[in-house]
Amino acid sequence: MNAIDSVFDPLREFSKDSVCLVKRCHKPDCKEFVVMGLVGFFVKLIFIPINNVIVGSN
């Protein structure tokens, strides 16, 4: 019985933590969505030239 518990206890804890995470999550509103989009745009804008320099140096 102890071997079975050692397998199922981590699964129970993982599922419990997953349920807590899903309950805390929410869909972003319009303002959050715009901010995430701008951050992603500027990160891409910065790292594309850096990537070209690294790949182009070969």
Side-chain angles (χ1 to χ4, degrees), residues 5-46:
D5 287 339
S6 67
V7 171
F8 284 110
D9 283 342
L11 293 174
R12 275 192 213 109
E13 186 175 339
F14 176 75
S15 63
K16 183 179 169 186
D17 292 341
S18 298
V19 168
C20 289
L21 176 68
V22 170
K23 285 183 180 179
R24 287 189 56 126
C25 292
H26 66 280
K27 289 179 88 173
D29 60 2
C30 187
K31 184 178 178 182
E32 291 172 336
F33 192 75
V34 169
V35 169
M36 287 189 293
L38 288 173
V39 168
F41 175 74
F42 285 116
V43 167
K44 201 74 156 161
L45 192 66
I46 291 170

